[in-house]
Amino acid sequence: MSTDTSRPIILIAGHWLGAWAWDEVLEHLKTDDARAIAMTLPGLDADDPERTARTLDDQATAILGAIGHHDQPVILVAHSGANAPVSLVIDRHPGLVHRVVWVDSGPVAPGSVFAPDLPDGLAELPLPSFDVLAQQASLEGLNAEVLERFRARAVPEPGPVLRQPVKLTNEARRNVRTTLVCCSIPGAQVLELARTGHAMFAEVAELEHLDVIDLPTGHWPMWSRPRDLAMAIHAAASQTN
């Protein structure tokens, strides 16, 4: 697949995942000038001896560092729990992001905490059993081989990342062009939930420039439908408005 956009695309996976999670998607996004890259957030590098102390601020700073390697606003692709640090980036520097593509995710509301009841003494949260995980997010489309790789490569999520409230103050964050790639919940249902004030989707109702792409599958479409996800990212990145 070749893209019509020259803008850099930075892909960021959710909890327990690093850049490796996007390998199949990147295969389909490859271009001659290699404009699409994936990054591992601080706290999710298994070789980092300080990883359990990493915070959302550390993650936002790392994303800004990746953006800083480019001389123009970028496309940020954020999956699942990457929504918290990416929301911080958009709030702090909205002019650096041309478009954000939320993959089965979306912008968080001010004051959001992913796991407010997580005990202070818990340094990290390992990937739970798949029986437990399936109660929280759809595993549709993931076969035994994929689940085995997920388990083998997952890195426990740092406690500080899960306990830190997301402080958002800049209304300009809502002006950033936005695409929702809706997988485990259809786009029409997401928009209805946003319209009726559902806390998880409250920020969606405030967005000024919103497009929706439906990609029916489970919560990890980079593994269940990697080519189709790449096409959706390509379509979003190619938009000129």
Side-chain angles (χ1 to χ4, degrees), residues 111-183:
S112 296
V113 181
F114 184 83
D117 298 326
L118 194 71
D120 289 341
L122 190 65
E124 60 185 20
L125 183 67
L127 178 68
S129 71
F130 289 127
D131 286 342
V132 170
L133 192 62
Q135 297 173 20
Q136 304 166 1
S138 171
L139 299 176
E140 181 183 343
L142 305 186
N143 59 29
E145 180 182 350
V146 170
L147 291 175
E148 183 178 352
R149 183 172 73 242
F150 190 2
R151 175 68 59 191
R153 302 199 64 175
V155 173
E157 195 71 23
V161 168
L162 301 173
R163 286 188 289 262
Q164 182 179 336
V166 180
K167 184 177 180 180
L168 305 173
T169 60
N170 187 354
E171 296 294 316
R173 72 184 183 276
R174 293 166 173 162
N175 295 327
V176 175
R177 298 171 184 86
T178 303
T179 298
L180 300 180
V181 178
C182 298
C183 302

Side-chain angles (χ1 to χ4, degrees), residues 56-57 60-61 64 87-95 164 167-168 170 173:
L56 285 179
D57 290 319
T61 297
L64 287 168
S87 290
L88 285 176
V89 168
I90 295 170
D91 185 75
R92 295 172 184 179
H93 299 280
Q164 182 179 336
K167 184 177 180 180
L168 305 173
N170 187 354
R173 72 184 183 276

